[in-house]
Amino acid sequence: MSKYANKPWQRMTEAEVTPEAVFADRRRLLKQLGFVGAGTLLSSSANAGVLDFLLGDSEQAVFARRALQHRKNLTFDHLINGPLTPEQKVISHNNFYEFGTAKTDPVNKAQGFKVEPWKLVIEGEVAKPMTLDYDDLFKLAPLEERIYRLRCVEAWSMVVPWLGFPLAALLKRAEPTSKAKYVAFETLYDPEQMPGQSNRFLGGGIDYPYVEGLRMDEAMNELTLLSVGLYGKTLPPQNGAPIRLVVPWKYGFKSIKSIVRIRLTETQPPSTWNLLAAHEYGFYANVNPAVDHPRWSQASERRIGAGGLLSAKRIPTEPFNGYGDYVASLYQGMDLTRYY
Ligand SMILES: Nc1nc2c(c(=O)[nH]1)N[C@H]1C(S)=C(S)[C@@H](COP(=O)(O)O)O[C@H]1N2
Ligand SMILES: [Mo]
């Protein structure tokens, strides 16, 4: 039986239901997909074929339903300074040290990664702690597509169409207490599935699980996304399936992957790269062309396009990765050379 078989609209196939029920189900689906004039569409036999596909049990149909149910949030599109990075690059040039430190290790070693069953715990300074399972992750809030720049601390960047929802939507549901000042995140710890976690050479010397953190106001900022997909599909394992953080104004290492725990805390939580090399990686990690990494300049970056890293064009890096209008005020009065 399909892993989605518990969904009512999946159990229902045309052979099992009356024509009235099929019609009602199609109407509901079309409404969910945002079509108007559903009657017109239904009367055309060409469209009926598309609908039969969309209502089907195939994995492609499940992806298509998910992809079509999201809305494009165009609010931040004007901040993208270039074309989308091709999907093939986004899913094959990755940093996910749990699977190895080479850029192609994640795509090569994560393909058997199991996302079901999944448990995501929200705990700590909240009135309503929660434990979510795999299916819950897609129902927490309406999914939207947002195109963001991603700037790695290694001075390369991409432009990625994410699918997800604001982290704030989840945190509000958990009802943070007045003591909640920070949010701590933790990646899955499973050395059997993640070879880098049991092999210090492969895993880059990191003490796993990978952990990250944000200040409460950063976590609640409208830019901060929990992502469950990219390019209209669920996340591939190498990009942090089933759910990862996306914080576009910070260096990529803040955007922690494959999250199993979100804990609201009173004090600043530890973060993996800061633990590894505090003089090179700070807690804030805001993209900043004026503060160089001790071993290289952060003034410019290689934008990965169709040609990949070797042919990537060098472009200037912008403060807060171009998102200053939305976030610069969070750091007013702070010395950004000290809080890097
Ligand atoms: N758990 C975990 N999360 C992680 C990393 C990692 O090694 N482990 N790498 C980070 C870094 S350095 C970057 S640049 C981004 C890369 O995301 P992408 O592979 O989806 O482009 O993921 C971040 N999240
Ligand atoms: Mo990175």
Side-chain angles (χ1 to χ4, degrees), residues 19 32 52 79 81 86 107 132 146 177 181 189 198 207 212 228 240 286:
Q32 282 175 353
D52 285 342
L79 298 171
N81 58 346
V107 68
L132 306 167
R146 293 194 190 187
T177 71
K181 300 281 186 286
Y189 182 72
S198 53
D207 272 322
E212 257 306 336
V228 295
N286 293 317

Side-chain angles (χ1 to χ4, degrees), residues 95 151-154 156 251-253:
N95 275 334
R151 169 57 157 88
C152 177
V153 76
E154 298 162 338
W156 52 264
Y251 291 120
F253 65 81

Side-chain angles (χ1 to χ4, degrees), residues 37-292:
T40 332
L41 265 172
L42 280 169
S43 63
S44 132
S45 60
N47 284 315
V50 174
L51 290 174
D52 285 342
F53 164 75
L54 281 173
L55 285 167
D57 278 329
S58 69
E59 197 122 346
Q60 292 94 317
V62 175
F63 278 139
R65 277 195 290 270
R66 275 198 186 137
L68 287 166
Q69 281 173 33
H70 71 260
R71 302 217 181 291
K72 287 183 192 293
N73 183 338
L74 308 174
T75 317
F76 312 105
D77 281 17
H78 68 286
L79 298 171
I80 303 155
N81 58 346
L84 294 183
T85 299
E87 179 177 7
Q88 203 44 47
K89 296 286 180 233
V90 176
I91 66 175
S92 64
H93 174 277
N94 300 98
N95 275 334
F96 200 168
Y97 279 22
E98 283 85 340
F99 294 99
T101 57
K103 294 287 178 279
T104 49
D105 278 340
V107 68
N108 290 331
K109 296 182 180 163
Q111 292 318 310
F113 186 64
K114 284 218 314 263
V115 293
E116 285 189 86
W118 195 263
K119 289 261 173 283
L120 170 59
V121 175
I122 295 101
E123 60 180 15
E125 290 298 340
V126 290
K128 296 208 167 115
M130 291 185 266
T131 301
L132 306 167
D133 67 18
Y134 179 80
D135 282 341
D136 295 331
L137 305 177
F138 302 89
K139 296 186 217 144
L140 289 166
L143 295 189
E144 47 182 273
E145 181 177 86
R146 293 194 190 187
I147 305 177
Y148 280 164
R149 309 186 200 181
L150 173 81
R151 169 57 157 88
C152 177
V153 76
E154 298 162 338
W156 52 264
S157 63
M158 294 188 181
V159 178
V160 183
W162 301 105
L163 280 179
F165 54 89
L167 171 64
L170 172 59
L171 296 182
K172 281 177 196 157
R173 281 221 206 177
E175 297 181 13
T177 71
S178 58
K179 286 189 190 159
K181 300 281 186 286
Y182 293 89
V183 186
F185 304 85
E186 194 178 306
T187 295
L188 178 70
Y189 182 72
D190 186 353
E192 294 208 346
Q193 288 208 79
M194 296 171 145
Q197 289 182 332
S198 53
N199 178 329
R200 276 190 85 73
F201 177 71
L202 195 65
I206 287 175
D207 272 322
Y208 293 101
Y210 194 103
V211 291
E212 257 306 336
L214 293 172
R215 221 168 55 187
M216 196 64 191
D217 56 352
E218 298 175 324
M220 297 301 284
N221 188 274
E222 64 176 309
L223 283 171
T224 307
L225 209 64
L226 279 173
S227 170
V228 295
L230 59 82
Y231 268 104
K233 300 171 203 138
T234 50
L235 282 177
Q238 60 271 29
N239 294 89
I243 190 163
R244 58 91 57 85
L245 191 67
V246 180
V247 195
W249 74 95
K250 292 178 180 284
Y251 291 120
F253 65 81
K254 299 293 289 183
S255 293
I256 182 172
K257 295 176 169 179
S258 304
I259 303 168
V260 293
R261 190 182 307 279
I262 297 179
R263 187 176 176 81
L264 283 76
T265 62
E266 251 190 294
T267 54
Q268 184 177 301
S271 49
T272 284
W273 282 95
N274 180 249
L275 291 172
L276 203 67
H279 62 293
E280 298 190 343
Y281 310 101
F283 174 79
Y284 283 93
N286 293 317
V287 174
N288 192 342
V291 176
D292 285 338

